[in-house]
Amino acid sequence: MSGLITGLAIILFMQMLRWPLSQWLPGGDYENFESLPKGFHFALPVIGALILGLIYHRIKPRFRPTGIAHVIGELHQGHSSKLPIGNAIVQFFGAIISLFFGFSGGREGPAVHLGASGSSYFGQKLRLPDNSLRVMASCGTAAAIAASFNTPIAGVIFAMEVVMMEYTIASFIPVIIAAVTSTILTHYFVGNEPVFTVTPLQMQSLLEIPYVASAGVIIGCIAAGFIVLVQAFARLSHWSFWQRALLAGSLTGCAAIVAPEVMGVGYDTVNGAMMGQIALFSLVVIVLLKTVTSAAAVGLGVPVGLIGPTFVIGTAVGGVLG
């Protein structure tokens, strides 16, 4: 049931985001922000920030925290494993608005929040104890990742390592059942096409190992810089939300004038980089600007995820090194 609930929630979330974008963006491509006129690249995130600011002004502060960090905090630092459903509702509509207006962020973080909260709420209705609610939240987390990427094993590993922070047989079995169930559901309604087009990989020589190792070191350094940037923007939490959202929107808009690839989730950029279709200089610019704009969105409290942007950044860095 957790897998079914999460799968349906993720399908609804994806369709409510993709359908209006596919109707509006050029070519019917829901990720084709690049083809918009230059003026739209700056205006869209700023308008989205103002809309989010007006909405959040009417939302009680306790319902504003969203995303994976909120889920982990509630499960491991709160006094109860009950995830508030109000925060999930804010996450659902906040993420759709943010990504529709081109904020640099991911959809998997919101998906995890929706899956964990929906499963936790279902468990609360069954009056399960707190330890069972933690397992239910992990089931929802795994089901959300599995439904988003068509990867049930990745969902299980993410739920066990990131959310539960432990491996136990008692929790592993229900978590993998939920992940497989949600994947079957998305296969039926959406299809089983992979999110990314990965060309066949095969090492030709051991001489390639130093290049791969150096890529890991460089990407690790960029990841550390990304975390520092998120923490730096998070120090502005004393600002009102509309001020933080407007700063994030303005940074995204300015960056999008130079590199519109930073707008939205950016999985079209991931596929383009892996296929070698993006020029070297463009990849460098995308790495720099996607890092700043994504860190700003996450650190300043815009209800988007950070899994998607890290894929874009990592793939672009790999493309540069290649």
Side-chain angles (χ1 to χ4, degrees), residues 215-230:
V217 172
I218 293 170
I219 292 174
C221 292
I222 293 174
F226 181 81
I227 294 170
V228 170
L229 274 176
V230 171

Side-chain angles (χ1 to χ4, degrees), residues 2-319:
S2 172
L4 289 174
I5 291 170
T6 302
L8 290 172
I10 301 310
I11 291 170
L12 179 63
F13 173 67
M14 296 294 189
Q15 294 306 313
M16 285 190 66
L17 176 62
R18 290 176 176 179
W19 184 80
L21 284 174
S22 63
Q23 298 299 310
W24 181 61
L25 291 178
D29 183 354
Y30 58 86
E31 293 195 62
N32 192 20
F33 286 99
E34 295 86 349
S35 297
L36 289 172
K38 287 291 183 183
F40 281 91
H41 291 154
F42 178 79
L44 269 179
V46 174
I47 294 172
L50 295 175
I51 293 174
L52 283 174
L54 289 173
I55 294 174
Y56 269 62
H57 180 70
R58 298 180 176 275
I59 296 173
K60 295 179 180 179
R62 72 174 185 272
F63 293 130
R64 294 179 184 177
T66 56
I68 297 174
H70 166 72
V71 172
I72 295 174
E74 289 292 316
L75 294 181
H76 294 280
Q77 299 170 9
H79 300 292
S80 171
S81 297
K82 298 178 180 178
L83 294 173
I85 198 66
N87 296 71
I89 296 172
V90 172
Q91 173 72 95
F92 184 88
F93 292 102
I96 289 174
I97 294 171
S98 301
L99 295 174
F100 178 84
F101 283 96
F103 274 96
S104 179
R107 61 192 183 214
E108 290 73 33
V112 167
H113 186 176
L114 294 174
S117 295
S119 297
S120 174
Y121 185 72
F122 179 61
Q124 293 171 45
K125 290 299 181 181
L126 296 177
R127 299 183 180 180
L128 298 180
D130 275 0
N131 62 329
S132 294
L133 291 179
R134 285 189 63 198
V135 175
M136 289 293 288
S138 299
C139 288
T141 298
I145 294 294
S148 299
F149 293 112
N150 282 330
T151 52
I153 297 301
V156 172
I157 294 173
F158 185 89
M160 304 299 283
E161 289 193 346
V162 177
V163 176
M164 294 201 75
M165 301 182 184
E166 62 182 8
Y167 281 94
T168 62
I169 295 298
S171 56
F172 180 83
I173 294 173
V175 165
I176 196 168
I177 291 173
V180 172
T181 303
S182 69
T183 305
I184 293 172
L185 191 68
T186 52
H187 279 188
Y188 181 79
F189 285 102
V190 182
N192 59 356
E193 291 296 322
V195 177
F196 303 123
T197 304
V198 182
T199 56
L201 304 176
Q202 183 177 358
M203 292 190 66
Q204 303 296 327
S205 166
L206 293 178
L207 295 176
E208 296 178 12
I209 292 179
Y211 294 99
V212 177
S214 63
V217 172
I218 293 170
I219 292 174
C221 292
I222 293 174
F226 181 81
I227 294 170
V228 170
L229 274 176
V230 171
Q231 293 172 338
F233 283 115
R235 295 190 187 100
L236 302 177
S237 59
H238 59 282
W239 289 16
S240 62
F241 179 82
W242 74 267
Q243 291 175 313
R244 288 182 279 127
L246 188 58
L247 175 59
S250 300
L251 287 173
T252 303
C254 292
I257 294 175
V258 179
E261 291 85 358
V262 304
M263 298 182 74
V265 180
Y267 285 166
D268 55 340
T269 303
V270 171
N271 285 321
M274 285 197 291
M275 299 298 290
Q277 298 171 347
I278 303 178
L280 176 62
F281 179 75
S282 297
L283 288 172
V284 173
V285 173
I286 290 170
V287 170
L288 295 175
L289 296 183
K290 189 71 174 179
T291 301
V292 173
T293 54
S294 301
V298 173
L300 294 170
V302 178
V304 293
L306 53 77
I307 297 176
T310 59
F311 286 163
V312 177
I313 296 166
T315 308
V317 172

